[in-house]
């Protein structure tokens, strides 16, 4: 029952919608720039409520958006972690005899990354959590004919997504980060509102592009968590060349003030 409730409130809550206009702005920089437009809230009688964010964007070379099928480096979901004693010794949740430091070295398809990077100077494995571990089915050797399932230590790849939304709730006059991953979960499995939006105009990649992005977030938990509270969002996007845009903040919001029905 608890798992079903968690799924209905948080997991799988992000969907995308687009409302954009292609314009020919003059000599825009290739690093994307965004600005706040508005936020709307739809309180559904049944099912998930919708919090819809509108942001204006512009990008000098129009390389915005990711296809759903783009899961290879540099857009893969996560990287496997190895220890310093063996370049092919993967770190598992319950393994032992590891020698830190740990390195991010292989993508989720077990392909070696162009360059391994430091993940941790020490053994930072903790009890299972959805941020740090991934359960993977794999062939344990090149000659194996049957697969095995293990829980690997992984590094999440932020380049897998291209829109990033953080919530901040106002408490006693100060804003506090609202960690959706742990609101209904004790192991960080509640998810968040980061996602990816698709390519706007494949035929015109490389050309200046501007418009408005309509980003819809679904959750049955908005009314439960935010209630009558004041909150705000911090948002940025990333282009295909992995340039981060500026970070914008919404004004103070309440669900009552942005509800449309």
């Amino acid at each position: 029952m608890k798992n079903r409730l968690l799924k209905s409130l948080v997991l799988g809550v992000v969907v995308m919608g687009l409302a954009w206009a292609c314009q020919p702005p003059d000599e825009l920089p290739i690093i994307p720039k965004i600005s706040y437009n508005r936020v709307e809230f739809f309180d559904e009688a049944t099912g998930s409520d919708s919090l819809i964010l509108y942001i204006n964007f512009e990008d000098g070379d129009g390389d915005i958006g990711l296809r759903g099928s783009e899961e290879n480096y540099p857009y893969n979901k996560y990287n496997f972690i190895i220890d310093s004693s063996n370049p092919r010794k993967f770190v598992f949740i319950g393994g032992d005899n590891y020698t830190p430091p740990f390195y991010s070295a292989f993508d989720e398809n077990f392909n070696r990354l162009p360059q391994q990077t430091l993940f941790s100077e020490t053994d930072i494995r903790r009890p299972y959590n959805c941020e740090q571990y991934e359960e993977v089915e794999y062939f344990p050797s090149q000659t194996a004919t049957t697969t095995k399932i293990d829980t690997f230590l992984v590094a999440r790849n932020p380049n897998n997504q291209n829109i990033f939304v953080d919530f901040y709730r106002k408490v006693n006059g100060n804003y506090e980060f609202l960690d959706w991953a742990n609101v209904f979960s004790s192991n960080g499995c509640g998810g968040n509102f980061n996602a990816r939006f698709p390519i706007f105009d494949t035929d015109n990649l490389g050309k200046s592009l501007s418009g408005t992005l309509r980003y819809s977030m679904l959750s049955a938990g908005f009314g439960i968590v935010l209630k009558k509270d004041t909150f705000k969002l911090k948002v940025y996007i990333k282009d295909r060349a992995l340039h981060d845009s500026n970070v914008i903040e919404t004004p103070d919001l309440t669900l009552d003030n942005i509800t449309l029905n």
Side-chain angles (χ1 to χ4, degrees):
M1 177 65 181
K2 181 178 179 181
N3 288 340
R4 290 199 298 271
L5 175 63
L6 173 64
K7 183 175 181 181
S8 68
L9 292 174
V10 181
L11 292 179
V13 293
V14 181
V15 297
M16 288 304 307
L18 297 176
W20 63 281
C22 183
Q23 301 174 4
D26 297 328
E27 298 182 359
L28 294 175
I30 63 172
I31 297 177
K33 182 179 179 180
I34 61 174
S35 60
Y36 175 70
N37 187 304
R38 66 186 188 277
V39 176
E40 298 172 344
F41 181 66
F42 291 88
D43 185 0
E44 301 293 343
T46 60
S48 297
D49 299 328
S50 301
L51 189 70
I52 303 176
L53 169 68
Y54 295 82
I55 57 174
N56 307 316
F57 71 89
E58 56 184 38
D59 186 77
D61 57 5
D63 67 332
I64 293 179
L66 292 171
R67 301 177 182 87
S69 60
E70 291 186 288
E71 296 292 352
N72 293 323
Y73 177 85
Y75 309 124
N76 55 298
K77 292 180 181 178
Y78 57 84
N79 299 322
F80 290 109
I81 304 304
I82 63 170
D83 82 345
S84 59
S85 67
N86 187 327
R88 292 196 67 87
K89 187 175 182 180
F90 293 83
V91 181
F92 298 91
I93 186 173
D96 54 14
N97 299 321
Y98 291 119
T99 306
F102 293 159
Y103 294 92
S104 176
F106 291 85
D107 69 15
E108 65 198 78
N109 299 308
F110 292 96
N111 297 315
R112 188 180 293 275
L113 299 174
Q115 181 178 356
Q116 71 179 28
T117 57
L118 179 66
F119 176 72
S120 173
E121 292 280 5
T122 59
D123 187 345
I124 63 169
R125 287 176 297 162
R126 300 190 299 272
Y128 180 82
N129 62 83
C130 286
E131 174 65 22
Q132 200 173 30
Y133 296 106
E134 190 75 21
E135 189 174 86
V136 178
E137 183 177 9
Y138 68 103
F139 287 97
S141 70
Q142 292 182 340
T143 59
T145 57
T146 58
T147 59
K148 181 180 180 181
I149 296 177
D150 274 312
T151 303
F152 290 79
L153 180 67
V154 299
R156 300 294 169 185
N157 179 18
N159 299 327
N160 175 255
Q161 299 167 319
N162 58 10
I163 183 167
F164 304 86
V165 181
D166 285 336
F167 284 66
Y168 290 84
R169 180 167 46 193
K170 203 169 191 177
V171 180
N172 297 324
N174 298 312
Y175 278 103
E176 296 181 357
F177 175 66
L178 179 54
D179 184 6
W180 287 97
N182 290 290
V183 168
F184 300 106
S185 169
S186 60
N187 54 10
C189 294
N192 57 45
F193 290 97
N194 304 331
R196 62 167 59 180
F197 55 85
I199 296 174
F200 294 127
D201 190 347
T202 304
D203 294 335
N204 288 302
L205 281 175
K207 299 180 181 179
S208 293
L209 188 67
S210 67
T212 301
L213 169 66
R214 178 182 181 272
Y215 179 60
S216 179
M217 296 168 277
L218 303 182
S219 176
F222 287 134
I224 298 172
V225 176
L226 296 174
K227 302 176 184 177
K228 301 292 184 179
D229 293 342
T230 297
F231 67 97
K232 68 179 178 180
L233 310 177
K234 290 186 179 181
V235 187
Y236 72 95
I237 67 173
K238 186 186 294 282
D239 68 14
R240 296 180 60 80
L242 311 183
H243 297 127
D244 291 343
S245 75
N246 58 305
V247 178
I248 62 169
E249 295 186 17
T250 69
D252 284 356
L253 306 169
T254 65
L255 294 182
D256 286 345
N257 289 342
I258 59 176
T259 297
L260 294 187
N261 64 331

